[in-house]
Structure formats: C-alpha cells, structure tokens
C-alpha cells in the first residue's frame, strides 16, 4: 500500500520531472550564456505546444509532423524576439533584459490567447489507455512516450555539449560570465545556437506537457516557477544539474499531497520552497561550480 | 630612563602596532590568493604594500576590511580581534578602505557622497527622518561644514553640487578618500590611489596623505606600483609575493633586499 | 455589424472609477518606488503584499461568521492599519532569507512568494472562503448618504485616496531627503560602498522593503473595501507588472512620477478598453489579448528607449548607463 504510493509518486514525479528537466536545460543554458533569467521561457513552451496543436488538430496531421513544426516555429520566433527585444539590451546588464523578458512573456502569452482563446486544448489521438508497468502502477501511452522522448532529447543535448565544438564553446561561455559578455562574432554565434537549442527544447517540453495533460495560455507561466526551481537547484549553467533538479522537483511536486497539512493545491509552492532553501544553503546549486 | 627605552624601541621599529595581520590565508576554490601572510602596521605610520600583480594585495585589503572571510588567520586592530566582522562594523571602529577600482555613487552629488558617511546620524532612523526635521537640519549643517573643509583640502569644493559621475577619474579617487575621511578613521587602506591619475593630481594626493598623516594622525597603508613614490612617501614597506609576505622594513632595507629584487623588480611588470 | 456607440450611462461615475484605480495603483507604485526606485530592490511580488493587506483588512472588519476565519467587526481604520501591518510582517518574514540574494534571485524569489500567497488564500477555505472569497462592506456609506445625499459615494474613496497619497508622498519625500534616504541611494548605486562607509546594508534594505510592502498593503485594503469583495482572482501576477509599468513610465526614483505613471497606465488600459465597443472585427477575448500584448511591448520598448522613465531620476539602475538606444548592435 505505502510502497505503491511511493512508486506512484516516483513514476508521476518522473513524468512531470522530465518535462521540467527538458525545459530547464534550455532555460539554464540561456540563463548563463545570455546572462539573464528569461521569464518568457514558460510562454515559449506554450507557443510550441499550440503550434503543434494547430498542425495536429486544426490541420489534422500526424503528431510527429506537429512536433516538428512546433519546434521549428518556436525556434524561429525566439530568434526574431532575440533580435528585436533582447539584442539591443545586451550591454545594459541583466535587469533590463529581465524586465524585457517579462514583456516578451506577456506578448507571447497573449499572442496565444489571440489565436487560440483561453480554453484548454488537447491533442487528437486516443492512446490514453493505461498499461500496468509495475505492479499497481499504470502509465498511459502518452506518458511513456513523454518520458522516452524527454530522455532521448536530454541524451542528445549531452552528446552535443560533450562531443561538439559548439558544445565546448557553450560550456566555456556558461562557465565564464565575463567571457559571455565579451561580444564578437564567435560569442554571437554561440549565443544564437543557445537560443536555438533552448527554444527547441522548450517547444518539445511544451508539446509533451500538452500531450500529458492539456494546453492553456497561462500554464506556461505557472510551470516556469517550477522550472526556475529546477535550474537553481541544479546550478545555473549546469545542464546536467537542470536534469537532476528537474527530476527532484517533479518528485517533490507529485509528493506534495502526501505531505501532512498540504494538498494538491500546493504542488507549485513545494517546489518553490525547495528552491528558496537551496538559494540559502548553497546558492550556486548542487552542481554549480563557478563562484560568483 | 623610560623615555630612553621608548626611543630605543622606536628606533628598532617595535612600537605598538595598530593593525596586525597574523598568518592569514584566503583561497578562491583551488586558487591560493593569500597564503599564510603576516605583517604589522605601526600607529601613525605610512606603510607601503607592494608586490607584483596578483600577489594578493587587494585580496589582503578585502580580508582586513571584512569584505572577504579568511580561511584562517587573524586580523587585529587596536588590540582587538576583528577577523570576520562585517565591513560596516570594521569601518565604524576606525579602519576604512578605498577600492582599487573606484566605486562611484554616480547619481549622488559630491556633497551627498560626503554626507553619507558620518556615523550615527539621527536621520538614519526612519521615524526621526520623518518627524524630527529640526535635529536633522542642525546635524546636516554641522556635517556639511566638515565636508566643506575636506572638499577644500582636496580641491573639490568647486564641484560640491556636481554629480560624482561627472568627475574625472582622479577627482573620483580624491572624492573616495575624502568621503571615507568623514568617518574620522584611525587607519586608511588605500588600494592604488594614484593609478590612472595625472602627475599634478598625483602630487596633490601625496601631499594630502602626508598632511593627514601629520596633522590628523591618520595611519595609512598604501598599495602603489611607482617604486620611487613608495620609497619617498612611506616609512615602512611590506612586500607581498604569491600571497605571502616576503619582506618588511624601511625603504632603504627593502631597496637592497635581494629576494625582493628577484621576485618583484626582476619578474615584475 | 456596426460597432455599438460608446455607452457610458454615467460619465461622472465612470471617471470616478478610473480615478480611484489611479489612486490604488498610485499607492502600489509609491510602495514599489522606495524599494526599487530608491533602494534598488527588485520586487516582482507586489500583488502578494497587496493581497495580504486586503485579506487582513477584510477579516478585521467583516462581521463574525462560521464560514470564514474571524470576522472581527472592527471599524475600517483598524482594517487599514492592520492590513498594512500584516503586509509589513509578511514582507519581513520573506525578506529575512530573500534580501541577501542577488537581484535576479530576488526577482525569482519574490514572484514565487507572490504565487504562494495566492495559493494559500485559494486553498485555505476556512480562512477566507478560498476561491469564493469574502464580501467586504464599504465603510462610511450611511454616514456619507445622510450627510451628502445625492452625491456620488465614490467621492468618499477619492477623498480617502488623496489623503493617503498625500500622507505617503510627504513621508516618502522626507525619507528621501534625509540621511536615511542617502543610505538607500548609496545601496542602490553600490552596496559595497555603503558597507565600506559603515552602513548596515541589510538593515536598511529590510526597512525599505517592509515599508514599501506596507504601502502596498494599504492599497490592498482600499481595493478590497472599494470593490466590495475579495478573492484570489484579484491577485494574478499580471497586476504586479502593471505596477512596474506605472513606476517605469513615471520614472523610477521619483515619487511624483510613480503616481503620474499610474495615471498614464490607467489612461492606456481604459483607453484600449473603450475601443472594445468600437471594434467588432475581433472578439472581446481577442481584444483583451491585444491590449495585454501591447502592455508587453510597452515593457520592452520602455527598456530599450526610455529606461529612466518619463520623470526618471535613475539611470545607473541600468549599468549600461547612457546608451539606452536600440542601436547597440555590434555588426
Ligand atoms: N573574487 C575573486 N575570485 C577569484 N579569484 C580572485 C578573486 N579576487 C582575486 N582573485 C585572484 O587572487 C589573486 C590575487 O589577486 P589580487 O589580490 O587582486 O592581487 P593584487 O591586488 O596583488 O594584484 C589573483 O590570482 C586573482 O586572480
Ligand atoms: Mg590589486
């Protein structure tokens, strides 16, 4: 009985956690390389999710196509936004960029509301049938897909960061915030690729989130807080930290209703309290190395 | 008899130190910035702190003034252990510092800069700030008087109401010193006060330091790269190299110390 | 279909409503100004403290009932002061850990606490009815109607808001022009200088933060009693960004600017709202979306073209200083 509960929390934590981790990797890279916390990241996720909804439901095409279009369109949008909104502020320090990203968040969220309204949306396809994967624990096809896709993508990021020149320069820039500021074509290119990768992962996370539950314009902002928690927990600029942080946050999120005195309404609050705790005890995060 | 003894002690350089650094170590991750460093500063002296770039001088100042916590070692000021105290408390005890890269309060006027520092101002209480304007005005007048004196001494009086962001680099260094003098310190640590300052202004700064030392009995420790200047200005010199104290003594000794020549003058910048 | 003509039955009533909201946002912006404008504290959890002020004030003044906590039936001034104190106390508790953090962490932490505060009011139904919220009576209505029959009751709110704005304005200006204000300024410019000058920076930040949040609490109290009810839906993060826009429009660091900014904000929000009736091409949801998207663009534009605001004092807030223009491209 207790064991089943624990396994259930772990499994559902894994599901939510993989979405958080996936989005967190991108947010973390952008945070350290572009040098500001992008408050629009959650809304970016939703935009990717809604573009996939457009392809999948409104145009009735296969989910794989929808996935690809969602990713590509968000990458394009994020590059345009970087060019118009963030680039002019690049030398102004993190605060104006942070405020501008709040503006961008509002803009993107309302773009979504304009085209798709405020009601929740679901992708087409009926694979909700649950299978028993462990004794007493069931997962739906969507959930299994979500976890597999998320981990595949995170493994791809790992390969990219550890095996390619681009990955090497991204890590160098995220380790050294000063270097990141020193502009130059090289740094600009790395930054552009950071946005591309960050946005692609955000779109993927948004689509997976939509597959698993549903899409709503405001959901991106809600989940952003959990993603920030994961990023800070893992250490800003540490993609692996964000992955582990995401899973921890996911489990804490799903475990919340079992904490005496709390109910499901406090799921986001728990993740946040964990984050504050980390900020106080170890501000550089579990995996963060660089001392400010 | 007693006078004789004091005199002989003084000539040997063993007067009571006002500041004593004992076996201080400070690391940044793997990096040993200050490594088991010890030295003393005599009351009323002007001491030079020299050493090649990266020797740990600024880090040492940050440890003394409370901005960094040392890994080990103690800092004693006026016979009191001040290791690990927060910077504001150390400043209030009469040990103040300037920064190597001048820190500006650019959107405050020169006068506001000066009036910030004096301690225990009545108007620092929110309640009194709102309800006791009379006392505040009176105090402000007194503080402003002292500030004007110092500004005149530092030849900044004509810039009194200018935003400090509009001052030249050298003037900012002067303002920073003047601002800290409003605390009426016993000891001032100056981190490269002459760097990037034109020769005329440099002479001014040297004169101010000597005057303050003579007339107001302020003890100085100064980081400076111009060896000629250091030799002229300072009574005593401490040499740091690779985080540790390499030598200490009067300029004449230091000038002829082989280890110093090797480490500093030989490999120096 | 031709857009329906503007139908504002009662022009006086409408203008009063707008003015009241200018006053309420003006209060919030004043509170934010001492934090951000004077001290450089990045608080994006404004609406959380407004909520605490509003809920506390409501609980203190409504009649007792078993369906929510208390109901203490105190007169309105007790609610107002109690709301301010409660907002200040919550601010104090939050500030203990949070004020030591770097500014970007402070931003994330305050926005998180704001959300937690909303979640608490949403989930703790025993306290204030959860999603249903509470009904709150407007004070002095009978008194007003017997003394000034026929005069729109909203004038009472205008008078009260003007009073509060004047009081807080004077207090904040005095603080600003005092040794206390000098220290706040030095902290916003460079914390290390303030420390080197012997100032207990943490204590000053704390006082600035708590006092600013108390003013936000006052705004919350007025808002709850003016609207006549309170529930978690009034406290979405969007409102915090409105307050930021008001302050940034008016000019951070300037108390008059904060109030002026609230005025400009309301002009914008109401102006675009009035368009609603005239544009039949899009649905009202779409029109709302366009308005808010515009608010977002406004924030970006402000950062790019006028970070110091209309009456702005602060420039160093933005390290880049002078070159705020959109021409920083390197290529
Ligand atoms: N905050 C810091 N973080 C990491 N390393 C530092 C920091 N401050 C100084 N260092 C390092 O410590 C060493 C000593 O530096 P510093 O005290 O500035 O030398 P100096 O003032 O003698 O030129 C240098 O190698 C420098 O890079
Ligand atoms: Mg140095």
């Amino acid at each position: 009985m207790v064991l089943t509960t624990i396994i259930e929390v772990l499994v559902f934590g894994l599901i939510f956690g993989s979405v958080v981790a996936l989005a967190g990797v991108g947010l973390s890279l952008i945070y350290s390389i572009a040098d500001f916390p992008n408050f629009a990241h959650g809304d970016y996720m939703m935009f990717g999710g809604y573009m996939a909804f457009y392809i999948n439901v409104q145009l009735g095409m296969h989910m794989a196509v929808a996935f690809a279009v969602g990713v590509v369109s968000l990458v394009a949008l994020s590059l345009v936004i970087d060019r118009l909104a963030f680039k002019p502020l690049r030398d102004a320090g993190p605060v104006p960029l942070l405020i501008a990203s709040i503006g961008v968040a509002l803009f993107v969220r309302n773009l979504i509301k304009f085209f798709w309204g405020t009601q929740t949306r679901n992708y087409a396809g009926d694979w909700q049938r649950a299978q028993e994967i462990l004794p007493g624990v069931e997962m739906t096809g969507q959930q299994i897909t979500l976890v597999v896709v998320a981990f595949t993508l995170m493994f791809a990021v790992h390969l990219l960061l550890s095996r390619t020149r681009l990955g090497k320069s991204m890590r160098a820039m995220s380790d050294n915030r000063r270097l990141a500021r020193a502009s130059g074509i090289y740094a600009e290119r790395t930054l552009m690729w950071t946005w591309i990768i960050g946005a692609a992962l955000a779109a993927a996370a948004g689509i997976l989130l939509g597959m698993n539950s549903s899409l709503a314009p405001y959901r991106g902002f809600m989940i952003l807080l959990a993603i920030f928690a994961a990023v800070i927990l893992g250490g800003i600029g540490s993609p692996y930290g964000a992955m582990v942080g995401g899973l921890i946050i996911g489990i804490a999120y799903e475990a919340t209703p079992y904490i005496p005195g709390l109910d499901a309404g406090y799921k986001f609050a728990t993740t946040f309290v964990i984050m504050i705790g980390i900020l106080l005890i170890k501000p550089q995060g579990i995996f963060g190395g660089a001392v400010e | 008899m007693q006078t004789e003894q004091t005199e002989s002690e003084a000539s040997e350089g063993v007067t009571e130190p006002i500041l004593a650094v004992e076996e201080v170590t400070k690391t940044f991750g793997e990096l040993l910035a200050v490594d088991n460093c010890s030295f003393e500063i005599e009351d009323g002296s002007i001491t030079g702190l020299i050493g090649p770039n990266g020797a740990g001088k600024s880090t040492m100042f940050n440890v003394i003034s409370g901005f960094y916590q040392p890994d080990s070692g103690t800092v004693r000021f006026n016979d009191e252990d001040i290791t690990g105290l927060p910077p504001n408390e150390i400043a209030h005890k009469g040990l103040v510092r300037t920064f190597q890269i001048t820190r500006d309060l650019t959107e405050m006027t020169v006068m506001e800069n000066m009036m910030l520092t004096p301690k225990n101002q009545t108007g620092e209480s929110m309640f009194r700030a709102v309800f006791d304007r009379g006392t505040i005005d009176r105090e402000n007048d007194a503080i402003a008087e002292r500030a004007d004196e110092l500004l005149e001494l530092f030849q900044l009086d004509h810039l009194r109401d200018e935003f400090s962001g509009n001052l030249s680099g050298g003037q900012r260094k002067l303002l920073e010193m003047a601002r800290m003098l409003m605390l009426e310190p016993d000891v001032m640590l100056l981190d490269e006060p002459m760097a990037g300052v034109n020769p005329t202004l440099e002479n001014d700064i040297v004169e101010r330091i000597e005057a303050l030392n003579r007339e107001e009995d302020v003890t100085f420790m100064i980081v400076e790269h111009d060896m000629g200047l250091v030799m002229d200005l300072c009574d005593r010199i401490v040499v740091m190299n690779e985080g540790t104290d390499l030598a200490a003594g009067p300029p004449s000794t230091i000038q002829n110390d082989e280890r110093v020549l090797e480490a500093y003058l030989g490999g120096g910048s | 279909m031709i857009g329906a003509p503007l139908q504002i039955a009662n022009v006086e009533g409408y203008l009063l409503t707008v003015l009241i909201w200018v006053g309420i946002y003006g209060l919030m912006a004043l509170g934010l100004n001492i934090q951000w404008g004077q001290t450089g504290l990045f608080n994006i959890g404004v609406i959380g403290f407004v909520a605490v002020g509003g809920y506390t004030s409501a609980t203190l003044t409504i009649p007792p009932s078993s369906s929510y906590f208390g109901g203490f039936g105190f007169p309105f001034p007790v609610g107002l002061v109690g709301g301010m104190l409660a907002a200040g106390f919550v601010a104090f508790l939050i500030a203990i850990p949070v004020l030591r953090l770097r500014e970007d962490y402070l931003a994330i932490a305050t926005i998180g606490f704001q959300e937690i505060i909303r979640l608490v009011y949403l989930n703790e139904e025993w306290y204030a009815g959860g999603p249903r919220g509470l009904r709150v009576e407007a004070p002095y209505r009978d008194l007003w109607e017997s003394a000034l029959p026929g005069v729109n009751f909203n004038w009472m709110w205008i008078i009260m808001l003007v009073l509060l704005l004047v009081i807080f304005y004077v207090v904040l200006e005095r603080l600003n022009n005092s040794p206390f204000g000098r220290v706040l300024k030095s902290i916003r410019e460079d914390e290390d200088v303030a420390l080197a000058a012997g100032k207990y920076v943490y204590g000053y930040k704390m006082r600035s933060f708590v006092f600013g949040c108390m003013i936000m609490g006052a705004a919350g109290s007025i808002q709850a009693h003016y609207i006549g009810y309170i529930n978690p839906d009034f406290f979405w993060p969007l409102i915090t960004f409105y307050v930021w826009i008001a302050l940034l429009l008016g000019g951070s660091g300037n108390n008059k600017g904060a109030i002026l900014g609230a005025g400009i904000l309301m002009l914008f929000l109401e102006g675009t709202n009035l368009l609603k009736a005239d544009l039949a091409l899009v649905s009202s949801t779409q029109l709302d979306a366009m308005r808010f998207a515009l608010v977002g663009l406004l924030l970006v534009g402000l950062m790019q073209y006028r970070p110091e605001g209309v009456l702005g004092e602060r420039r160093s807030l933005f390290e880049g200083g002078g070159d705020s223009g959109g021409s920083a491209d390197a290529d």
Side-chain angles (χ1 to χ4, degrees):
Chain A
M1 182 54 202
V2 176
L3 188 66
T4 322
T5 307
I6 291 176
I7 294 176
E8 210 171 83
V9 165
L10 289 179
V11 169
F12 283 104
L14 176 73
I15 295 166
F16 184 67
S18 8
V19 173
V20 171
L22 197 56
V25 172
L27 183 61
S28 187
L29 286 171
I30 292 167
Y31 200 156
S32 61
I33 293 176
D35 202 18
F36 72 97
N38 180 18
F39 275 82
H41 203 73
D43 299 288
Y44 278 16
M45 288 167 67
M46 279 302 119
F47 184 83
Y50 272 95
M51 282 307 288
F53 170 80
Y54 175 71
I55 301 296
N56 171 242
V57 175
Q58 288 169 279
L59 300 186
M61 289 159 86
H62 191 272
M63 196 58 209
V65 183
F67 193 96
V69 173
V71 167
V72 170
S73 50
L74 181 65
V75 165
L77 180 77
S78 81
L79 288 178
V80 171
I81 287 175
D82 180 50
R83 184 63 231 229
L84 297 179
F86 297 139
K87 196 173 178 191
L89 292 169
R90 209 155 281 165
D91 300 319
V95 169
L97 280 167
L98 195 165
I99 297 176
S101 82
I102 292 172
V104 169
L106 282 175
F107 180 79
V108 173
R109 192 179 316 153
N110 285 286
L111 205 63
I112 293 171
K113 275 194 211 160
F114 185 87
F115 288 110
W116 291 286
T118 50
Q119 65 270 53
T120 56
R121 304 284 195 174
N122 287 294
Y123 294 120
D126 177 27
W127 17 320
Q128 289 284 4
R129 202 152 37 81
Q131 304 160 4
E132 192 167 48
I133 50 149
L134 284 167
V137 180
E138 297 183 332
M139 277 174 92
T140 63
Q142 264 123 326
Q143 289 166 339
I144 295 169
T145 315
L146 183 156
V147 173
V148 170
V149 172
F151 274 81
T152 311
L153 285 174
M154 282 190 271
F155 186 67
V157 173
H158 160 69
L159 289 183
L160 182 110
L161 286 174
S162 58
R163 299 284 163 83
T164 65
R165 268 180 58 117
L166 172 67
K168 206 174 146 211
S169 53
M170 282 174 71
R171 276 183 296 148
M173 271 179 74
S174 86
D175 282 348
N176 186 341
R177 291 174 145 225
R178 310 274 168 273
L179 181 71
R181 291 264 187 92
S183 49
I185 296 172
Y186 178 71
E188 276 295 323
R189 266 239 317 269
T190 309
L191 187 57
M192 186 185 84
W193 276 103
T194 307
W195 278 111
I196 292 175
I197 293 164
L201 295 177
I207 296 165
L208 293 177
L209 184 72
M211 269 169 54
N212 188 40
S213 48
S214 58
L215 300 167
Y218 196 71
R219 188 153 292 160
F221 190 72
M222 287 302 297
I223 196 178
L224 177 69
L225 295 179
I227 300 169
F228 267 128
V231 167
I232 287 171
L233 191 63
I236 292 165
S238 161
Y240 305 108
M243 294 176 199
V244 177
L247 294 180
I248 296 175
I249 289 298
I251 291 165
Y253 181 89
E254 294 296 349
T256 303
Y258 301 98
I259 301 172
L262 297 182
D263 54 46
Y266 286 113
K267 283 178 167 182
F268 280 107
T270 323
T271 65
F272 225 75
V273 169
I274 294 177
M275 187 197 81
I276 298 287
I278 282 290
L279 278 179
L280 295 177
I281 303 161
K282 202 162 180 287
Q284 69 272 34
I286 312 178
F287 292 86
V291 198
E292 181 59 16
Chain B
M1 175 74 194
Q2 254 188 335
T3 353
E4 258 180 43
Q5 203 183 347
T6 330
E7 264 177 24
S8 73
E9 270 187 23
S11 63
E12 286 167 34
V14 282
T15 347
E16 194 57 14
I18 188 164
L19 180 72
V21 171
E22 292 159 10
E23 300 176 350
V24 164
T25 296
K26 172 72 193 170
T27 55
F28 296 107
E30 303 281 283
L31 187 109
L32 248 176
V34 172
D35 180 11
N36 198 22
C37 182
S38 306
F39 58 78
E40 292 181 345
I41 300 177
E42 285 167 33
D43 196 0
S45 69
I46 301 180
T47 307
L49 177 60
I50 63 172
N53 269 327
K57 306 180 295 293
S58 296
T59 307
M60 192 71 237
F61 272 17
N62 278 321
V63 169
I64 297 174
S65 58
F67 278 86
Y68 292 164
Q69 298 284 332
D71 298 3
S72 62
T74 40
V75 180
R76 305 182 68 79
F77 177 61
N78 272 333
D79 261 342
E80 183 190 350
D81 186 350
I82 58 163
T83 327
L85 287 185
N88 52 312
E89 286 181 25
I90 292 176
H92 272 190
K93 286 182 188 297
L95 172 58
V96 305
R97 57 87 53 91
T98 63
F99 293 93
Q100 178 172 350
I101 299 162
T102 320
R103 297 296 194 90
D104 294 319
L105 303 174
T106 45
E107 283 173 43
M108 296 171 74
T109 65
V110 167
M111 199 56 185
E112 280 181 306
N113 265 273
M114 297 294 286
M115 295 185 65
L116 167 73
T117 353
K119 54 181 160 184
N120 304 329
Q121 299 183 49
T122 304
E124 288 178 354
S125 138
M126 285 179 87
F127 185 81
R128 304 287 288 274
V130 176
F131 296 108
D132 194 358
R133 301 303 287 184
T135 311
I136 292 175
D137 289 343
R138 243 174 294 124
E139 272 184 21
N140 271 346
D141 290 345
I143 293 170
E145 206 170 307
R146 167 74 180 151
D148 278 324
E149 274 171 36
L150 276 172
L151 287 180
E152 204 172 325
L153 181 68
F154 281 86
Q155 293 172 6
L156 293 168
D157 40 340
H158 61 293
L159 296 167
R160 198 175 182 274
D161 299 314
E162 189 65 62
F163 283 106
S164 70
N166 297 339
L167 269 54
S168 73
Q171 288 168 335
R172 287 184 202 184
K173 294 236 168 205
L174 286 172
L175 176 59
E176 193 180 14
M177 277 178 66
R179 181 173 68 207
M180 295 319 295
L181 281 166
M182 291 295 288
L183 268 178
E184 301 182 355
D186 299 325
V187 175
M188 275 191 105
L189 310 175
L190 304 179
D191 200 346
E192 306 200 13
M194 264 76 87
V197 171
N198 71 50
T200 333
L201 206 51
E202 185 173 303
N203 271 335
D204 286 349
I205 297 180
V206 169
E207 273 174 33
R208 296 304 156 255
I209 292 173
E210 285 177 328
L212 287 163
N213 180 248
R214 236 181 305 116
E215 287 153 27
E216 312 218 2
D217 211 24
V218 182
T219 305
F220 284 94
M221 182 168 219
I222 302 171
V223 173
E224 177 50 49
H225 284 299
D226 182 339
M227 291 306 275
L229 202 153
V230 172
M231 297 295 162
D232 281 351
L233 176 64
C234 300
D235 313 319
R236 236 172 124 260
I237 290 171
V238 174
V239 187
M240 276 184 78
N241 188 39
E242 294 182 350
T244 193
D245 54 305
L246 187 66
S252 51
T253 331
I254 296 297
Q255 257 168 330
N256 301 317
D257 191 307
E258 271 183 28
R259 291 167 307 169
V260 176
L261 291 175
E262 193 182 325
Y264 186 70
L265 303 172
S269 45
Chain C
M1 203 179 89
I2 298 164
L6 280 186
Q7 281 182 351
I8 300 171
N10 176 350
V11 174
E12 186 200 8
Y14 173 73
L15 288 180
L16 285 179
T17 308
V18 174
L19 274 180
I20 287 169
W21 281 108
V22 171
I24 292 172
Y25 278 112
L27 279 176
M28 296 180 201
L30 276 183
L32 183 60
N33 191 35
I34 185 173
Q35 298 174 341
W36 171 243
Q38 314 283 10
T39 324
L41 295 174
F42 207 121
N43 176 8
I44 46 176
V46 175
I47 201 63
F49 304 102
V50 176
V52 172
Y55 270 103
T56 309
S57 183
T59 302
L60 285 172
T61 51
I62 51 179
S65 159
S66 58
S67 57
Y68 46 76
F69 172 69
F72 294 97
F74 287 121
F76 172 73
V78 176
L80 177 66
V81 172
M84 287 177 64
L85 290 177
F89 182 66
V90 171
F92 171 74
L93 292 182
I94 291 175
I96 292 172
V98 155
L99 279 188
R100 297 187 191 276
L101 303 175
R102 228 169 59 187
E103 62 191 1
D104 47 344
Y105 292 165
L106 183 61
I108 297 171
T110 48
I111 206 172
F113 274 113
Q114 159 181 282
E115 198 54 22
I116 290 179
I117 289 171
R118 196 179 62 84
L119 287 176
V120 169
Y121 287 125
L122 185 65
N123 286 297
E124 302 303 318
E125 299 206 13
W126 61 270
Y127 176 74
R132 278 173 293 114
L134 301 171
R135 289 185 55 79
V136 195
E137 289 298 318
Y140 312 127
R141 191 184 283 277
D142 295 342
L143 190 71
W144 180 274
E145 277 164 6
S146 60
L148 297 162
V151 182
N152 192 322
F153 176 63
N154 278 346
W155 281 106
M156 197 283 295
W157 290 114
I158 300 283
I159 292 167
M160 191 179 286
L161 278 164
V162 168
L163 261 174
L164 281 177
L165 284 170
V166 168
I167 291 171
F168 284 128
Y169 177 82
V170 170
V171 168
L172 287 170
E173 282 294 305
R174 286 191 167 196
L175 288 176
N176 197 13
N177 298 312
S178 74
F180 179 78
R182 277 201 291 264
V183 180
L184 294 194
K185 260 197 222 177
S186 74
I187 292 172
R188 114 190 157 192
E189 304 267 314
D190 189 333
E191 228 176 288
D192 284 347
V193 172
L195 271 177
K199 307 303 175 192
Y200 180 48
V201 168
Y202 184 68
Y204 282 91
K205 282 184 174 178
M206 178 63 89
R207 285 185 278 166
S208 161
F209 188 74
V210 168
F211 188 59
C213 288
M214 286 173 72
I215 302 178
M216 294 166 193
S221 167
I222 301 278
Q223 175 181 322
H225 290 268
Y226 162 65
I227 297 175
Y229 59 97
I230 187 170
N231 68 37
D233 268 344
F234 288 110
F235 306 109
W236 289 98
L238 182 66
I239 312 290
T240 293
F241 302 137
Y242 281 171
V243 181
W244 268 88
I245 289 171
L247 182 63
L248 291 170
L249 274 172
S252 328
N254 185 318
N255 288 318
K256 278 197 209 88
I259 301 169
L260 177 77
I264 305 177
L265 174 76
M266 282 314 293
L267 270 182
F268 173 80
L269 290 178
E270 282 308 310
T272 48
N273 201 22
L274 287 177
L275 283 179
K276 236 182 205 174
D278 274 343
L279 285 176
L281 293 174
V282 291
S283 74
S284 101
T285 310
Q286 283 177 318
L287 205 95
D288 265 340
M290 280 164 68
R291 282 168 74 202
F292 296 136
L294 247 148
V295 170
L297 291 183
L298 189 65
L299 263 179
V300 177
L302 269 174
M303 286 301 100
Q304 289 188 0
Y305 296 106
R306 218 170 157 78
E308 75 279 13
V310 182
L311 299 181
E313 163 187 344
R314 300 189 51 178
R315 308 215 71 193
S316 73
L317 180 178
F318 306 104
E319 290 159 42
D323 52 347
S324 54
S327 55
D329 301 8
D331 50 2

